Amino acid sequence: MSADGLHHPQIVAVDARVDPAACRSMVEVRQGVDALDRALVALLAERQRYMDAAARIKPDRGAVHDDARIEDVVAKVLASAEAHHLSPAIAEPVWRTLIDRSIAHEFSVYDRTRS
């Protein structure tokens, strides 16, 4: 939270990189991928902090795994993927794995903070 008492989302800056359509060498492609990977790690770390908050807030362990929420998240991701021209063959398995690992992390945090 900032000094004004409001939560301002963290903006993850992506290093300067060549647009993929303008890449002329594998060096440019790899630099772009590496820059995006750094940004993705920062975003995933922030997402993990929300899982930490969920583990702190949820009233019981049974609330950690929520099938309806999983399907809601996947549906939203697939809609966003389509809008951004990301293949659903990439988006869906990546997010299902992310959700699975996030739930495992949340269980771990939940158990550690309540024992």
Side-chain angles (χ1 to χ4, degrees):
M1 206 169 288
S2 65
D4 61 7
L6 299 174
H7 176 21
H8 299 281
Q10 179 181 355
I11 303 299
V12 177
V14 177
D15 301 332
R17 62 190 192 285
V18 176
D19 182 89
C23 287
R24 298 289 177 242
S25 71
M26 284 307 300
V27 169
E28 291 173 326
V29 168
R30 290 178 179 142
Q31 287 173 340
V33 169
D34 291 348
L36 289 169
D37 285 346
R38 286 188 295 275
L40 286 168
V41 167
L43 288 169
L44 289 170
E46 183 175 3
R47 190 181 196 282
Q48 179 180 298
R49 290 190 295 275
Y50 282 105
M51 298 303 96
D52 295 343
R56 175 177 43 82
I57 293 167
K58 288 183 180 173
D60 59 75
R61 196 173 195 278
V64 172
H65 187 275
D66 181 344
D67 286 327
R69 174 64 179 151
I70 292 168
E71 294 311 312
D72 179 56
V73 169
V74 171
K76 289 173 183 172
V77 163
L78 289 174
S80 183
E82 183 177 3
H84 291 278
H85 308 289
L86 173 62
S87 168
I90 294 173
E92 185 165 358
V94 166
W95 256 266
R96 287 197 183 275
T97 300
L98 175 60
I99 291 166
D100 178 68
R101 297 294 72 222
S102 295
I103 290 169
H105 174 78
E106 190 178 331
F107 272 124
S108 175
V109 172
Y110 185 93
D111 291 344
R112 187 174 63 245
T113 60
R114 288 180 173 70
S115 52

